[in-house]
Amino acid sequence: MATTSIQYLYKPLLHHHHHSFTTPDTSLQFFKHLTTTTTITTNSTTLKLFSSLSSSPTTTTSLTPSTNTSPFDTLAEHLAAANFRQADEETRRLLIELAGEAAQKRGYVFFSEVQFISAADLRAIDRLWRRHSGDRFGYSVQRRIWERKARRDFTGFFIRVGWMKKLDTEMEQYNYRAFPDEFIWELADNTPEGHLPLTNALRGTQLLANIFTHPAFEEEMEEEEGEEKEEVERKGEVKPKERPKFIKSFKQDYSF
Amino acid sequence: MASLTSIPFTLPPSSLSQKQLFLHSFLPRKLAHSTKRGFKVRCAAVGNGLFTQTKPEVRRILPENNQGLPRVKIVYVVLEAQYQASLSAAVRALNADRRHASFEVVGYLVEELRDVETYESFCEDLKDANIFIGSLIFVEELALKVKDAVEKERDRMDAVLVFPSMPEVMRLNKLGSFSMSQLGQSKSPFFQLFKRRKQSAGFAESMLKLVRTLPKVLKYLPSDKAQDARLYILSLQFWLGGSPENLQNFVKMIAGSYVPELKGTKMEYEDPVLFLDSGIWHPLAPCMYDDVKEYLNWYGTRKDANEKLKSPNAPIIGLILQRSHIVTGDDSHYVAVIMELESRGAKVIPIFSGGLDFSGPTQRYLVDPVTGKPFVHAAVSLTGFALVGGPARQDHPRAIEALRKLDVPYIVALPLVFQTTEEWLISSLGLHPVQVALQVALPELDGGMEPIVFSGRDARTGKSHALHKRVEQLCTRAIRWADLKRKSKEEKKVAITVFSFPPDKGNVGTAAYLNVFASIFSVLQGLKKDGYDVEGLPDTPEALIEDVIHDKEAKFSSPNLNVAYKMSVREYQNLTPYASALEESWGKPPGNLNSDGEHLLVYGKQYGNVFIGVQPTFGYEGDPMRLLFSKSASPHHGFAAYYSFVEKIFQADAVLHFGTHGSLEFMPGKQVGMSDVCYPDSLIGNIPNIYYYAANNPSEATIAKRRSYANTISYLTPPAENAGLYKGLKQLSELISSYQSLKDTGRGPQIVSSIISTAKQCNLDKDVSLPEEGEELSVTERDLVVGKVYSKIMEIESRLLPCGLHIIGEPPSALEAVATLVNIAALDRPDEGISSLPGILAETVGRNIEDVYRGSDKGVLADVQLLREITEASRGSITAFVDRTTNKKGQVVDVAEKLSSILGFGLMEPWVQYLSKTKFIRADREKLRTLFEFLGECLKLVVADNELGSLKQALEGSYVEPGPGGDPIRNPKVLPTGKNIHALDPQSIPTAAAMESAKVVVERLLERQKLDNGGRFPETVALVLWGTDNIKTYGESLAQVLWMIGVRPVSDTFGRVNRVEPVSLEELGRPRIDVVVNCSGVFRDLFINQMNLLDRAVKMVAELDEPIDQNYVKKHAVEQAAELGVTVREAATRVFSNASGSYSSNVNLAVENSSWNDEKQLQDMYLSRKSFAFDCDAPGAGMTEKRKVFEMALSTADATFQNLDSSEISLTDVSHYFDSDPTNLVQGLRKDGRKPAAYVADTTTANAQVRTLAETVRLDARTKLLNPKWYEGMMKCGYEGVREIEKRLTNTVGWSATSGQVDNWVYEEANTTFIKDEEMLKRLMETNPNSFRKLVQTFLEASGRGYWDTSEENLERLRELYSEVEDKIEGIER
């Protein structure tokens, strides 16, 4: 029955929505489990993009259990200062944190945990990226490229946003870019649209697919059609009338 | 990828094609159309030319701050890059700790040690190392390098730890008083433990067992030793535990205990954290499980799972993982597969094991102990290894046993191990050859399918990462296979695909040895009975042909096959993501192939849920410029549209490729380990591929398995019969028997005179030197002449050939099996204690069978006669035996029971009964018994029928048992058919037995050549290596090359051949003969390691310090080096083949399509396509064009040489033998312009022969094309049979073109048989007018090209016939 499944799916969403803001301290545990962290940060010249999601920079200590600050403040600061490299790290860290305790222990987000991230949180992150990049960075920007230009093909998407590089072979072939050196950490004219934030393909593309099909960005699509709606969306409230869309997009997650 | 487009690519041998050309015009058409693209092959390798360019420096960790702490240096060598990240993390943590010591660590991956510089730096690093660690060093060459380097420093070093590796390296182990230097020799119980287990599967498994039995072992050791041994075993536990924490404690323990400066510091370490040896792991699960019920319970409680995944009907995939990836945390690629499967709604049960034996864990975790049914619908191994034994000692029977119980489709996907992602992407070979041997060839012996590379390796961290598209491909395919297990028969859709070579209506449904439509009909009836929906299936095979090809006899105008679907260009582009990539070669869709100008056409016919479709062809067969420079290496739009239709419109649950063989698997791409842009992978898409394949062609079957992911199911080649005698040959035989009875009556001279004249009529004068008629002959001379003719006649008569074509589901009757059994009985099988029947019979008259063979070959009349009697007695006794096991319908009934009753006490066995009436009455009864028991087993297998059964199993998603392909006579294990064919472990050849046989053939060849060459040895022999040949004979022809240059293979501890050593000139007793080795494209794909071995052997021989008149390799190499201005080593390049991803010289295609101007053009084709060399000094470069050296080497050839490996495939049966023949080419290249001698070795019978090519061509014409028994057998098969006859004639023209060794009378006789005989002519024309037209055309071509000199009358008749049949085909009423 449709109604029961809505309930079932909806409850954890609300729960985790709440949880994500109140228990940021679990991130400490997260660091303990990051076995590859040091490998990457100390000795990296041509590290592949893959090594990044399970890693985290040693500098992100801003997320203290203290009270009134928004968990997105650090991200906002980095973005405001055009520190895209740090902003990118912070975004991944936030994503893991928002995905819940298990993800933090593990050090990466399993695709099916994306449903537990609230639309508001994802949109908040996205909004910051867009605001500080003139709408050239951010998940919703990427989603549009993936959906419309790459027709949901990830190779096409990776090439468009500059995450894969062409190899010097006669048959057209692409390999993943090395992290971090081969990425562009500034908003320059030649920086491809959607280049940041980076979600790697180390564990395939299901995580990114689930971010793109998250209800948060289903609404963004709507938003583009009617500009005036944008203000409402930015308040980050999940309105009851949006639920049917949520179901629709949720189903899409799982049936290719 | 450099290779994909730059390398000319074409059809495999015998995949012919043609577009009708104007009759007398042999000018290539469409010349203007072909753009002359440069023939450029880019070399994939950079830098050192090796497979991997990574350097150990990325793994070096230097302590940042020394602070006066003692410094400890660790050097490690591993196969498993997953240890890199974990070990680096451990050491960094220790250094950050700054307590007792500071650590320097540097790691080498085994494969990197091939590089000279890297090896030097390894040796340099060892000089001041304190600790050495090695693991999984199983490649012999590299193991020896490691051993040599470490040995020098072993005594000085504080500790040496080697985990499962080759014994040579294991012996380096030392921890204090504990040492393994006695490994394998010592009698101490500790080492006995190793020894005993070495015989069973899995070296690593035994190490694990050792850990488990630790306390017991320690009891046997004195106490100080016990402490050191205990630390060794703890080390192993730490190592297998693999996590950074474990490795940190491991380093602390070893350094603290054995580095002298640290001995006083008391470095504390924790005990190893032990993980389960085997169990179930899921990234979301709170723990590892060792009980599947517990795991499933947890799975059911997952909050993140959606309804689809929770559904009880969801497909379930079992995953097989390596524990080391999980414990070291290098598990991203595993997680990717799990996510991909779950996101597609498939549940997973990911199991792991620390050892290398997964047969137990698959049973424990994937099979329900109560019902015995599997929990899963398909199993996917992500380890890449064979199920039992990993890289060391495999136990395939045990693996098969376990998989049979599991009974689901079994896929073995691979992670990149020896290469980084980029190295794999740019390589035209694709997967590293060592990995192919270990992780593709070996899993195939278990019945593993679909070697899809699903993960890459990061150059810097060594970590594995998903290749997102490959993971998608793997997972969707696994789910599709699982669906076969889940869906009902009624709803399953099957797309049967037939081939058409050349693309002509006369050829729809081509497949080697198979009556395709009759087989399809029989299969469909079987499926119908089984519950599949095949609504509307006609009542006869003929009606089926009619439906598919509309009007097979083309009596009326019907230019097209039945169109099953018209696909608009837009639809095509939507359904085919890679469509735009094809435009470079073929322009915008729809193009003009399989197209009506607006749509793409799919030919075929649908019955219920079964679609029978015609696979399009390569599309450039008739275009000589493309054949020569075919950069157009991509399928055409029509080809792509066919597979898009099957997958996305018809929505097939499985495609069944029907018979040997199609072109899908020969489409361009990497050799092994397809990437996203390799065409076979893109074309097959997500459809499970089942492929009926001739049991005697394991090499090409293997290509189909690797490149198009086929689950092959073998079918029997038609039962071979003796060629028999006919016409003049029969008369001769009668004359000879009257000579024998009457020779002493005074009529002898007269009969001999008749024999001589009849022999001349039969054109035997070229094979036997006959005296002039009327010449006076002595009695001895007469006997000799008759003996020689007799021997020739016998040779023809006893030649084995398949008559007719096989029909799936129709096993041979018992009597049809007799000829096969006679031949099985003709071979000694010393390993099984079985003597050959001719051997047993010869013994009873006091002769050795080898002597009889030799005498008969020489024409000694008495021996020829004796051999004939032996042959007859063999046939007679076997027939007597088979009769007794056969019921009135000619079916074999329960051989086992019959045998025991036959063998019962006091009874006379049927064969003894039979023999008692012959001169062999005193034959050894015991030996006969043993032999006939074996023959009984073989008989059972010959007539067993699993071909349809196995297909049903495959369609039901069951495991299809693997079995070797090859020659049932040499290897009866090929039987029964209906198995998933595999080749062999490429590192196992050549075997010692093959080496022995090779010596005999080489010596015979050299003898023969000396006879024809004024007593001189040939300086160079040009020869060909075939894949199937080497599989069937376990590397005989490979061994022949080794013996010619005078080297022998040396096997390692595991029996693998990776090394050669020179045989001394004294032992050889002759000069080393130079060689030019031309490997077929298939051989290159399957045996690249052996090409490497050969190249090393040649280079080694060229560099020996020997006089050049005793070493022709050296002689030529020195000359060539001077002329080319290169080193001798570089000049000593003798191992050639096609460029990677390309097959055959295309000479066959040109001949089959009559699309060539002159022989020079064919020779250019050969040179341009075959002059790619493999260089053992730069193996990573793949095949590199070295045409100059190739030509220079060929110009020294005194002889050309090929092997015939089995009776059913002879010179004119397939086009690939002449395709690779360089005889005329060599003549053109030689400075003296002399034609080289051409030889063919025939090892198809117990009495191996070396004949000249001309002799063999004649023998072949006599036994096949001109033999009524053969062509009548073909005619019985109707439509397909006519094509077979035409094919033989076309191939004969091919021999004229490449070697000039076809006599005029062959064409003349063929013309008499097929054209002059009005009755025959009518039958041919009626049955298959298209093939008949080609036959007529070929006759005219033979004459037009000057190969056949005949009367104007004959030619006039042929021209008439041509226009007659042309009109008929075009539907013009006369």
Side-chain angles (χ1 to χ4, degrees), chain B residues 61 63 135 201 228 267 342 355 368 437 525 532 538 555 722 774 813 868 968 1020 1157 1253 1302:
Chain B
I61 299 175
S135 175
D228 292 323
M267 278 178 95
E342 290 192 345
D368 188 326
Q525 279 187 316
Y532 289 82
K555 280 174 189 150
N722 297 104
S813 68
R868 166 152 220 168
T1020 304
N1157 292 325
L1253 178 57
V1302 185

Side-chain angles (χ1 to χ4, degrees), chain B residues 719 810-818 882 886 889-892 939 942-943:
Chain B
E810 283 186 17
S813 68
L815 281 177
E816 282 173 324
V818 168
V882 172
T886 313
K889 287 183 203 151
Q891 295 157 327
V892 170
L939 179 60
V942 172
V943 299

Side-chain angles (χ1 to χ4, degrees), chain B residues 738-787:
Chain B
S738 57
Y739 173 77
Q740 281 171 307
S741 51
L742 302 173
K743 67 177 180 179
D744 302 325
T745 64
R747 289 190 56 203
Q750 191 197 334
I751 300 175
V752 169
S753 168
S754 304
I755 288 176
I756 293 170
S757 64
T758 314
K760 282 185 180 164
Q761 275 166 27
C762 293
N763 302 296
L764 283 176
D765 50 331
K766 292 234 174 67
D767 299 294
V768 181
S769 64
L770 296 171
E772 288 301 311
E773 271 167 80
E775 197 178 310
E776 275 296 311
L777 296 173
S778 70
V779 176
T780 342
E781 282 168 334
R782 283 205 300 265
D783 272 7
L784 193 63
V785 168
V786 175

Side-chain angles (χ1 to χ4, degrees), chain A residues 220-234:
Chain A
E220 290 286 333
M221 291 300 287
E222 202 80 1
E223 190 182 314
E224 282 158 22
E225 282 145 36
E227 275 301 316
E228 64 278 9
K229 268 174 107 181
E230 203 169 43
E231 280 310 302
V232 187
E233 298 297 333
R234 280 185 183 168

Side-chain angles (χ1 to χ4, degrees), chain B residues 721-737 758 762 764 789-801 803 864 868 872 875 1259 1261-1264 1266-1271:
Chain B
E721 294 175 41
N722 297 104
L725 296 173
Y726 56 95
K727 297 178 188 168
L729 297 171
K730 199 165 184 184
Q731 270 173 37
L732 262 181
S733 149
E734 283 153 12
L735 282 169
I736 290 167
S737 44
T758 314
C762 293
L764 283 176
V789 173
Y790 197 9
S791 152
K792 199 72 212 169
I793 297 276
M794 284 279 296
E795 182 181 43
I796 297 168
E797 193 272 341
S798 60
R799 195 99 183 128
L800 271 190
L801 41 100
C803 293
V864 181
R868 166 152 220 168
E872 271 169 12
R875 286 183 202 158
L1259 182 61
R1262 285 192 176 107
T1263 51
K1264 299 254 166 85
L1266 304 176
N1267 183 358
K1269 188 169 181 178
W1270 181 83
Y1271 60 72

Side-chain angles (χ1 to χ4, degrees), chain B residues 31-229:
Chain B
L31 263 177
H33 150 88
S34 53
T35 49
K36 256 210 171 182
R37 293 207 184 92
F39 183 78
K40 188 176 67 167
V41 171
R42 297 185 34 177
C43 166
V46 285
N48 58 10
L50 296 171
F51 289 111
T52 185
Q53 308 295 326
T54 55
K55 294 283 180 191
E57 285 318 303
V58 300
R59 271 164 244 123
R60 189 182 297 275
I61 299 175
L62 292 166
E64 278 167 28
N65 194 334
N66 221 346
Q67 290 187 337
L69 289 172
R71 194 168 164 125
V72 178
K73 182 172 176 186
I74 303 171
V75 177
Y76 67 93
V77 176
V78 289
L79 170 78
E80 321 105 296
Q82 59 263 39
Y83 273 93
Q84 180 189 335
S86 195
L87 198 54
S88 299
V91 169
R92 287 210 176 89
L94 287 173
N95 281 345
D97 214 21
R98 287 180 203 162
R99 283 188 53 202
H100 304 288
S102 62
F103 292 90
E104 175 183 354
V105 64
V106 58
Y108 291 78
L109 299 181
V110 178
E111 191 59 24
E112 290 170 347
L113 297 177
R114 285 185 202 273
D115 181 46
V116 181
E117 273 174 38
T118 308
Y119 185 66
E120 271 169 21
S121 90
F122 172 60
C123 294
E124 201 56 38
D125 266 325
L126 282 172
K127 280 186 184 154
D128 58 351
N130 301 80
I131 298 167
F132 173 80
I133 303 166
S135 175
L136 286 192
I137 302 167
F138 279 110
V139 180
E140 192 192 24
E141 287 174 81
L142 302 171
L144 294 178
K145 283 184 135 179
V146 171
K147 177 190 159 237
D148 290 347
V150 176
E151 222 165 33
K152 289 196 195 92
E153 304 293 330
R154 183 171 182 263
D155 288 346
R156 187 198 50 75
M157 277 192 280
D158 300 326
V160 176
L161 285 146
V162 183
F163 304 119
S165 291
M166 296 193 68
E168 289 86 339
V169 196
M170 289 296 288
R171 286 195 194 104
L172 296 168
N173 265 309
K174 87 159 190 179
L175 274 189
S177 61
F178 171 84
S179 156
M180 280 202 193
S181 57
Q182 302 300 307
L183 183 67
Q185 289 138 41
S186 165
K187 290 260 182 286
S188 97
F190 185 83
F191 293 118
Q192 288 303 310
L193 273 170
F194 273 91
K195 212 172 176 181
R196 221 180 312 129
R197 288 185 219 108
K198 257 176 66 186
Q199 278 130 31
S200 69
F203 199 64
E205 191 69 9
S206 31
M207 297 284 286
L208 277 181
K209 221 182 268 172
L210 185 67
V211 174
R212 288 194 287 267
T213 51
L214 168 71
K216 205 173 112 202
V217 177
L218 293 181
K219 263 193 286 182
Y220 293 109
L221 298 169
S223 60
D224 57 329
K225 276 199 175 182
Q227 175 58 13
D228 292 323

Side-chain angles (χ1 to χ4, degrees), chain B residues 378-687:
Chain B
V380 181
S381 169
L382 300 180
T383 66
F385 286 121
L387 193 75
V388 181
R393 278 173 198 273
Q394 297 79 33
D395 186 340
H396 301 294
R398 194 150 100 215
I400 292 168
E401 186 55 36
L403 291 166
R404 200 197 287 137
K405 284 188 195 146
L406 188 59
D407 200 31
V408 296
Y410 172 58
I411 293 172
V412 182
L414 340 141
L416 290 181
V417 177
F418 296 101
Q419 295 153 295
T420 64
T421 309
E422 187 152 335
E423 284 162 354
W424 165 70
L425 281 173
I426 62 175
S427 165
S428 55
L429 294 177
L431 201 62
H432 188 299
V434 171
Q435 200 180 349
V436 174
L438 282 177
Q439 301 206 322
V440 179
L442 295 177
E444 279 168 2
L445 306 188
D446 295 344
M449 307 187 294
E450 314 215 352
I452 297 173
V453 174
F454 75 101
S455 80
R457 186 161 64 78
D458 180 51
R460 186 165 190 84
T461 60
K463 287 190 96 175
S464 296
H465 64 80
L467 297 160
H468 69 275
K469 276 273 186 185
R470 303 282 80 210
V471 167
E472 221 180 290
Q473 178 78 335
L474 171 66
C475 294
T476 40
R477 291 192 62 83
I479 293 173
R480 298 296 306 276
W481 275 109
D483 284 345
L484 287 177
K485 193 99 193 159
R486 300 163 58 232
K487 282 195 178 176
S488 73
K489 289 170 187 163
E490 304 80 64
E491 60 180 326
K492 257 178 226 169
K493 289 185 156 189
V494 183
I496 295 179
T497 299
V498 299
F499 314 122
S500 173
F501 295 127
D504 179 285
K505 276 178 71 175
N507 294 322
V508 171
T510 337
Y513 317 107
L514 197 62
N515 190 331
V516 173
F517 282 103
S519 297
I520 293 179
F521 186 73
S522 138
V523 164
L524 290 185
Q525 279 187 316
L527 291 183
K528 191 176 176 182
K529 224 177 280 166
D530 208 30
Y532 289 82
D533 174 7
V534 287
E535 207 191 318
L537 180 70
D539 296 332
T540 63
E542 289 72 28
L544 187 67
I545 301 185
E546 196 72 17
D547 271 3
V548 175
I549 73 174
H550 239 36
D551 180 9
K552 73 184 158 97
E553 293 176 16
K555 280 174 189 150
F556 309 101
S557 182
S558 58
N560 285 325
L561 302 171
N562 192 53
V563 175
Y565 191 77
K566 287 187 176 186
M567 193 184 286
S568 73
V569 169
R570 205 188 152 80
E571 185 177 25
Y572 162 70
Q573 284 167 327
N574 280 336
L575 296 178
T576 317
Y578 51 94
S580 58
L582 313 183
E583 289 178 14
E584 195 197 339
S585 303
W586 301 99
K588 292 272 176 206
N592 53 14
L593 296 156
N594 289 60
S595 143
D596 63 3
E598 282 175 56
H599 301 91
L600 289 136
L601 303 180
V602 176
Y603 295 118
K605 177 86 185 167
Q606 190 169 341
Y607 301 106
N609 279 336
V610 173
F611 169 68
I612 302 175
V614 182
Q615 187 186 62
T617 56
F618 278 91
Y620 52 87
E621 293 84 353
D623 182 343
M625 292 319 283
R626 283 203 183 190
L627 287 182
L628 190 52
F629 298 113
S630 59
K631 196 190 160 182
S632 56
S634 82
H636 58 78
H637 295 298
F639 202 105
Y642 178 83
Y643 283 94
S644 294
F645 167 80
V646 169
E647 181 180 350
K648 290 168 185 160
I649 294 174
F650 176 66
Q651 298 185 318
D653 289 296
V655 63
L656 170 60
H657 285 101
F658 215 99
T660 310
H661 53 67
S663 36
L664 169 69
E665 63 273 22
F666 290 97
M667 285 294 170
K670 294 177 192 301
Q671 277 181 211
V672 188
M674 302 288 111
S675 75
D676 300 341
V677 294
C678 295
Y679 287 112
D681 180 275
S682 307
L683 287 161
I684 196 67
N686 296 328
I687 328 166

